Amino acid sequence: MMSFVLCMLFVLLSICLMLTMVLFVQVIAAILFKPRLLEEVKSDATSVVVLVPAHNEASGIANTLRSILPQLRKQDRLLVVADNCQDDTADIVRTLGGEVVERHDLSQRGKGYALDFGLKRLLVDPPEVVIIVDADCVLAPDAVKNLTHACLEKQRPVQALYLMKNVPQASIKARISEFAWVVRNQVRPLGMHVLGLPCQLMGTGMAFLWKDLMKINLATGHIVEDMKLGLDLAHLHS
């Protein structure tokens, strides 16, 4: 019995050591990261749609739209999918000058269904690049341009830096959570990039080629839809 317990402890310690080593390597690699300028890609004529799935986001979607709309050029579009909303989300989008479609289907709930609904709306006049942004996120200046350039240069899906920002008077618990986001969404992906390895998709701030999205099925209710999307696209480009 004692030998079994010791073996189990050894296995658990070995797993913890391996995970710690992976994190250590990622952190060291991130320190060595040297940013570079993106190669100039002719994207002036490229059409872009920023697709925003929204479910009862009336309290904050205005800030999201105000960060997106000024970045759009004349050939670009913003499309919000008001998905099973019971508040004023759609009305707020219209007031701010955004395009919105409303979806009502309680039998199929989830972000994947909302995204699929939005993409079908774009089939009449499809863009070349689709950028997906959650309705509670705020884009940094030039985010749309930079994501578009990176997506066209790489001809692959691109993930933006996705961080959580607290108010100055935030609690210790909130500050710890903010730090954890930095480690998970900034340090570790940078380390993977330096090592020549891919970055996982994080659900928002993602840019895709239209032709890629047309080859996968988004209309699912998976709890980990971002992971499934990443795996589907990785298989597509393998």
Side-chain angles (χ1 to χ4, degrees), residues 16-86:
C16 291
L17 179 61
M18 290 176 60
L19 294 175
T20 303
M21 286 300 299
V22 170
L23 178 59
F24 176 77
V25 171
Q26 289 174 330
V27 171
I28 295 301
I31 295 174
L32 301 176
F33 173 73
K34 294 181 180 180
R36 69 176 183 84
L37 295 176
L38 289 173
E39 295 180 7
E40 286 297 326
V41 179
K42 292 183 178 180
S43 60
D44 291 341
T46 301
S47 57
V48 178
V49 168
V50 180
L51 182 59
V52 181
H55 173 67
N56 292 339
E57 296 287 353
S59 62
I61 195 170
N63 290 331
T64 300
L65 300 190
R66 292 190 183 105
S67 72
I68 297 173
L69 289 170
Q71 301 189 37
L72 303 182
R73 304 157 302 172
K74 62 180 181 179
Q75 70 266 34
D76 300 333
R77 296 167 62 188
L78 165 70
L79 178 61
V80 177
V81 180
D83 187 50
N84 289 314
C85 289
Q86 298 173 325

Side-chain angles (χ1 to χ4, degrees), residues 8 48 50 52 92 137 154 180 195-196 214 219 237:
M8 291 300 298
V48 178
V50 180
V52 181
I92 293 172
C137 294
K154 299 295 184 181
L195 296 172
M214 290 298 97
H237 286 283

Side-chain angles (χ1 to χ4, degrees), residues 12 16 55-56 69 73 78 80 89 95 100 105 117 124 155 157 163 166 168 175 181 184 188 190 202 210 217 235:
L12 291 174
C16 291
H55 173 67
N56 292 339
L69 289 170
R73 304 157 302 172
L78 165 70
V80 177
T89 297
T95 300
V100 61
D105 188 346
F117 189 82
V124 177
Q155 290 292 295
L163 297 178
N166 287 316
R175 292 179 185 274
W181 277 61
R184 178 182 180 274
R188 296 186 66 183
L190 275 180
M202 300 175 189
W210 171 264
N217 178 30
H235 178 72

Side-chain angles (χ1 to χ4, degrees), residues 116-186:
D116 179 72
F117 189 82
L119 291 177
K120 288 179 179 176
R121 178 63 177 253
L122 299 173
L123 284 172
V124 177
D125 183 21
E128 294 167 76
V129 174
V130 177
I131 298 175
I132 296 175
V133 178
D134 281 351
D136 59 353
C137 294
V138 175
L139 268 62
D142 294 328
V144 171
K145 179 184 71 174
N146 291 335
L147 281 169
T148 301
H149 283 189
C151 187
L152 291 173
E153 178 190 349
K154 299 295 184 181
Q155 290 292 295
R156 293 289 189 276
V158 175
Q159 173 63 55
L161 175 61
Y162 175 33
L163 297 178
M164 177 181 67
K165 297 294 184 181
N166 287 316
V167 295
Q169 63 272 25
S171 65
I172 295 297
K173 181 180 179 180
R175 292 179 185 274
I176 292 174
S177 179
E178 182 179 6
F179 174 74
W181 277 61
V182 172
V183 175
R184 178 182 180 274
N185 289 0
Q186 183 172 14

